[in-house]
Amino acid sequence: MGAAFSRAMTSGAVAAAVAGGVYRALRSRPRPRRQRVGRQRTWRQRTNYAGRTVDLYAGPAAVLGAAAGTAVLPLPARTRCAALLAVLAAGGCGAYDDLVGADDPRRGFRAHLGALRDGEVTSGAVKLLGIGGAGLVAGALVGERPVDRVLAGVVIAGTAHLVNLVDVRPGAAAATVLVLGAPGLPGAGLAAAPMGAVAALVADDLGERTMFGDTGVHALGAALGVAIVVGRGRAGLVAHAAGLVAAAAYGDRISRAVRVLSDR
């Protein structure tokens, strides 16, 4: 237990150091005199729910922090590959949506799948299919039997989606990662990586100076999903997968509940 906890603390410290360093480096870059307009997007400025101008630098910082924290853990090769694949693929798909789909008002599985059925490939559909596929590949790397691999893939992709669902107010995604990740610290320590990255960035997220965006929340959720999967038996995977499928089905209600609780 002591050695496992020590490894987890090292992973969290590395994740926090990398995430914080990347974030500070991005924020220190000279800002352009004029903001780009139209559909051409940058990481520099967004308008949040309250109409305040924030940046998206916490997103790539969270991705690199979580990946670095995972890389230093003494994990089996397949587990390490699964975790890094899940984090980087989810972050990459989220980044595509952040940059290309910022002006798209459509939200949720049904809207993007409906557009795909009509022949339109939205950035949300790319994100959905990309993260789902990466989750299944990562699940195949950590699962022992076909059923377990599919269940693991559902949990990894579903957790990425869950963290995105709650990211409707400052601090909500960070709190979700910290609360869901804490029970996994005494085990393989994989949860320490996303938790460490969040810890380094949550102050500026709460202060409405930055936001994680789709880039950050999906990467953090995918990392958390791998942490949940590792060491779980089939019963645990079934329970988590069922809960995450239900969360996806009632995603609008979950997001609405987070808004109501945060605005009180």
Side-chain angles (χ1 to χ4, degrees):
M1 178 69 75
F5 187 75
S6 177
R7 290 193 293 269
M9 291 303 98
T10 300
S11 172
V14 170
V18 171
V22 170
Y23 177 66
R24 288 189 295 273
L26 291 173
R27 283 187 64 88
S28 68
R29 297 170 62 195
R31 295 182 180 272
R33 294 181 180 180
R34 293 185 299 174
Q35 174 72 11
R36 296 182 183 182
V37 296
R39 294 188 63 83
Q40 192 174 21
R41 293 285 173 173
T42 71
W43 296 100
R44 294 182 182 276
Q45 291 185 344
R46 287 293 189 279
T47 301
N48 72 358
Y49 78 101
R52 296 185 178 90
T53 299
V54 301
D55 61 51
L56 283 175
Y57 292 147
V63 174
L64 295 176
T70 299
V72 301
L73 284 168
L75 300 168
R78 291 171 66 91
T79 303
R80 179 180 288 106
C81 287
L84 291 174
L85 169 66
V87 170
L88 296 176
C93 292
Y96 179 78
D97 197 32
D98 276 333
L99 295 175
V100 176
D103 296 324
D104 191 343
R106 289 168 292 194
R107 295 291 183 270
F109 285 169
R110 293 179 183 177
H112 292 294
L113 290 178
L116 189 63
R117 186 175 58 249
D118 295 334
E120 180 186 0
V121 181
T122 65
S123 61
V126 171
K127 180 180 67 175
L128 171 63
L129 297 175
I131 294 175
L136 289 173
V137 174
L141 288 171
V142 296
E144 294 183 359
R145 297 184 178 182
V147 173
D148 298 327
R149 293 169 182 170
V150 172
L151 289 170
V154 171
V155 171
I156 293 167
T159 308
H161 180 59
L162 174 64
V163 178
N164 182 52
L165 283 177
V166 303
D167 186 39
V168 292
R169 289 295 185 270
T176 301
V177 171
L178 293 174
V179 169
L180 294 181
L185 286 178
L190 275 165
M195 292 175 70
V198 160
L201 303 168
V202 66
D204 276 20
D205 179 36
L206 287 170
E208 298 186 46
R209 292 179 287 276
T210 191
M211 64 170 62
F212 289 103
D214 284 294
T215 305
V217 296
H218 284 100
L220 291 167
L224 186 60
V226 176
I228 291 171
V229 164
V230 172
R232 292 292 193 285
R234 183 170 298 174
L237 290 176
V238 169
H240 279 93
L244 290 165
V245 169
Y250 295 97
D252 290 341
R253 297 184 184 181
I254 292 175
S255 297
R256 192 179 307 119
V258 174
R259 290 189 189 96
V260 170
L261 292 172
S262 300
D263 292 342
R264 285 184 176 178

